[in-house]
Amino acid sequence: MKKWGKRIGYGIGDLGCNLVFSTMASYLMVFYTDVFGITAAAAGTMMLVTKFIDAFTDTGMGLIVDRTNTRWGQGRPYFLVGAVPFAIFTFLTFYIPNFGSSGKLVWAYVTYCLLCTAYTVVNIPLNTIVPRLTSDIHERDVLVSTRMVCAMAGTAVVMSITEPLVRFFGGGNEARGYLITMTVYGIAAMCIFFVTFASTEEVVPPTVNQKHSSLKEDFHGLTGQAWILFLLNLFYFSLYVVRNTTVIYYFKYNLDRMEWLSLVGLLGILSGLPMLLLLPILEKKYSKRSLMFFSIILYIAGDLLIYIGRNQTVCLLAGLVITGLGIYGIFGIMFAMQPDVIDYSEYKKNASVAGLIAAFQGFFVKGGMGFTSFIIGAFLKNGGYVANAVQTEKALSYIEICFIWIPVVLCIVIAALTYFYKLDGLRGEMTRELEARRVNQEDGI
């Protein structure tokens, strides 16, 4: 039970993150255009521009984590530090001030930046501590899968109950409904981060101390495999945002089935549960590279089934289930690669740069989300999209491109990057070498 307490305590940290992260990915664009009152182009541009600020906050946070040395570990203290600001900035992001159009846009920029920064403070440590929680490879896979299941649960909550909660709390006032709903999510996330702090313990020390290294030396600790991981994050989260944002537009306008959104959320997300539960078992038998290719094929097949059978309920539902299996397969495998990439920097470059790796992951994640939101906003604008109106044929075709065809292209890019991932064959050798270094470290004390 103690082992499962650690697994669940670690995993639910991502549930807390996703209560807000998934809302930003799925509803923030719609909130800004249809409730807050700014244009799709302005909202998309804002989400892109703010990512340049994230470049500094993410990198800074990664460097801070690598140089943190407390009795609680490197990453754990920041679950406490970031919890309360995360809740406060969630509230402020969904608060609509009476400032006029220009003032509201400035408010959106500032509050969105602050929320992204608070997210960075808690999420980067969540990404770094798996190699510090255990050196057992299978246990790491279980921890990652538990985290992915919890992340999926957070996304499922957002996709299935956000709309009903907005209606319930708003009573016809969407602005009030969003504000109360997101305040509830922010407070829940804050409490979850406290639980994650209390449930985890960093017991595996790094084989090298980065405390006195320079930024230049830290950058030299990044390997080619790390850059592959960063790009996988960029294109996966681009895929994630495209799917979760445009599914709302596609079902609302192209299919005229707005009442399906809760069901769509449950099917598209919970269908990934079997994949995440099976991944630790499958990773014992198959390489992460092979499993990634399989997941990509699944997603493309499901996507095409939705397109071909868009007028048939069975095909739509089956396509959502298959794409759910595929996207969560990609998700789980990508995060299972991360501890291997962190270890590879220690093994190959004798550098402990887990924080920097997580920082670049965070930057590429947010960059993917921001750039994709910008592309979606530009597509909708060029297609002639008008909020809460009957759309033209051109607008409907542009929505279809976003929901069906851009994800296919992104999957092909992810497959091409995965081809160059090579750590499956080195995993055993890396573990033996790093354990030997730790033993020598202890003997030298």
Side-chain angles (χ1 to χ4, degrees):
M1 287 302 295
K2 184 178 179 181
K3 184 177 287 189
W4 271 107
K6 180 177 71 173
R7 292 169 177 172
I8 294 172
Y10 168 71
I12 62 171
D14 224 2
L15 188 154
C17 288
N18 269 283
L19 286 175
V20 175
F21 179 87
S22 293
T23 305
M24 290 194 294
S26 302
Y27 287 97
L28 194 58
M29 176 71 81
V30 175
F31 171 77
Y32 278 142
T33 58
D34 294 12
V35 181
F36 196 87
I38 57 179
T39 66
T45 301
M46 182 198 73
M47 291 181 184
L48 176 63
V49 171
T50 53
K51 299 312 161 191
F52 290 102
I53 298 174
D54 281 342
F56 295 99
T57 58
D58 285 356
T59 303
M61 189 63 205
L63 295 172
I64 290 169
V65 169
D66 284 336
R67 286 157 177 77
T68 298
N69 183 19
T70 73
R71 61 190 179 93
W72 293 326
Q74 288 185 306
R76 284 180 67 221
Y78 298 105
F79 299 138
L80 294 181
V81 171
V84 174
F86 190 84
I88 292 171
F89 296 140
T90 297
F91 167 82
L92 292 176
T93 299
F94 286 85
Y95 176 76
I96 305 176
N98 187 23
F99 287 165
S101 57
S102 297
K104 285 167 68 176
L105 185 59
V106 172
W107 177 270
Y109 267 87
V110 172
T111 55
Y112 183 62
C113 283
L114 290 173
L115 179 55
C116 288
T117 300
Y119 177 85
T120 293
V121 171
V122 294
N123 192 256
I124 283 183
L126 196 68
N127 286 338
T128 64
I129 65 173
V130 170
R132 304 296 163 239
L133 298 179
T134 179
S135 58
D136 182 88
I137 303 306
H138 177 65
E139 180 61 18
R140 287 182 180 182
D141 290 339
V142 174
L143 283 167
V144 170
S145 290
T146 303
R147 177 187 173 187
M148 295 304 101
V149 169
C150 291
M152 181 195 67
T155 305
V157 167
V158 167
M159 293 299 292
S160 59
I161 72 170
T162 297
E163 279 288 337
L165 285 178
V166 169
R167 289 196 301 270
F168 174 77
F169 289 127
N173 183 333
E174 279 193 295
R176 183 176 64 192
Y178 270 107
L179 181 62
I180 297 174
T181 298
M182 294 313 301
T183 300
V184 170
Y185 286 173
I187 293 172
M190 177 184 70
C191 296
I192 286 170
F193 297 142
F194 292 152
V195 172
T196 298
F197 171 82
S199 303
T200 54
E201 183 181 5
E202 297 182 34
V203 296
V204 180
T207 59
V208 60
N209 190 341
Q210 297 293 119
K211 188 173 182 179
H212 301 295
S213 64
S214 66
L215 180 59
K216 182 179 179 180
E217 289 171 330
D218 282 3
F219 271 95
H220 284 163
L222 298 176
T223 64
Q225 296 297 293
W227 288 103
I228 289 173
L229 180 66
F230 302 154
L231 290 172
L232 284 173
N233 275 267
L234 171 69
F235 289 106
Y236 167 76
F237 280 96
S238 296
L239 172 64
Y240 176 86
V241 170
V242 169
R243 171 186 166 85
N244 284 357
T245 299
T246 59
V247 68
I248 299 172
Y249 292 100
Y250 189 73
F251 274 79
K252 181 177 181 179
Y253 296 111
N254 293 57
L255 302 182
D256 193 26
R257 294 182 176 182
M258 187 67 179
E259 73 279 2
W260 274 35
L261 282 181
S262 291
L263 176 62
V264 166
L266 286 172
L267 278 179
I269 297 166
L270 293 182
S271 58
L273 181 60
M275 178 66 81
L276 294 177
L277 293 176
L278 284 172
L279 275 181
I281 299 170
L282 293 173
E283 285 166 346
K284 284 184 172 181
K285 298 181 179 180
Y286 305 101
S287 69
K288 294 182 177 72
R289 195 165 171 260
S290 298
L291 291 172
M292 181 70 90
F293 288 140
F294 176 69
S295 298
I296 290 166
I297 291 169
L298 272 179
Y299 187 90
I300 293 175
D303 207 29
L304 294 178
L305 182 60
I306 292 172
Y307 173 71
I308 294 168
R310 57 191 175 277
N311 296 319
Q312 301 175 36
T313 299
V314 173
C315 289
L316 278 173
L317 297 180
L320 287 168
V321 169
I322 294 170
T323 54
L325 286 168
I327 199 167
Y328 276 95
I330 298 170
F331 186 39
I333 296 157
M334 184 180 69
F335 274 89
M337 289 176 173
Q338 187 204 40
D340 294 345
V341 170
I342 290 172
D343 279 354
Y344 188 61
S345 284
E346 287 194 43
Y347 168 80
K348 187 76 174 179
K349 297 290 188 81
N350 196 35
S352 176
V353 288
L356 188 62
I357 288 172
F360 271 96
Q361 276 187 274
F363 171 63
F364 277 81
V365 165
K366 293 172 185 176
M369 292 179 68
F371 185 70
T372 306
S373 295
F374 173 78
I375 293 296
I376 293 171
F379 256 76
L380 293 177
K381 179 183 178 182
N382 290 335
Y385 168 77
V386 179
N388 300 312
V390 176
Q391 305 302 322
T392 64
E393 285 298 318
K394 182 180 179 182
L396 293 175
S397 68
Y398 273 56
I399 292 171
E400 184 178 272
I401 289 170
C402 286
F403 182 65
I404 299 292
W405 301 114
I406 290 179
V408 171
V409 173
L410 290 171
C411 281
I412 292 170
V413 173
I414 291 169
L417 288 168
T418 302
Y419 177 80
F420 295 100
Y421 180 77
K422 67 177 185 180
L423 298 187
D424 290 311
L426 288 173
R427 181 62 266 179
E429 181 182 336
M430 284 195 296
T431 301
R432 290 189 294 271
E433 173 64 22
L434 292 177
E435 285 297 325
R437 291 182 193 176
R438 290 187 185 101
V439 169
N440 291 336
Q441 220 175 37
E442 290 173 2
D443 289 345
I445 295 175

